[in-house]
Amino acid sequence: MDKFNELKALIGAAEADAVAFFDKGNKAAGTRLRNAMQQTKVLAQDIRNEVTAKKNG
């Protein structure tokens, strides 16, 4: 559950960069947003692996 909460916090933190990029056209915010989305992908995969391990073991 810790990783899930970490994922929620990461998404929340990325929201400001998403607004800055999409609404204001801030290119630096786009770079930060892409980085946050990559971290989200990695964290989501870790959560999937944990769920599978717990379900099967």
Side-chain angles (χ1 to χ4, degrees), residues 2-51:
D2 291 336
K3 287 189 179 190
F4 185 77
N5 290 330
E6 186 179 341
L7 180 62
K8 288 187 343 185
L10 182 60
I11 293 294
E15 185 176 6
D17 287 327
V19 169
F21 177 71
F22 288 112
D23 294 344
K24 300 175 184 173
N26 184 331
K27 290 183 181 181
T31 301
R32 291 189 300 271
L33 181 59
R34 285 177 44 86
N35 184 31
M37 292 298 99
Q38 181 62 36
Q39 290 175 354
T40 301
K41 178 182 170 187
V42 170
L43 194 52
Q45 186 63 48
D46 289 346
I47 293 169
R48 287 182 49 143
N49 290 341
E50 274 187 30
V51 169

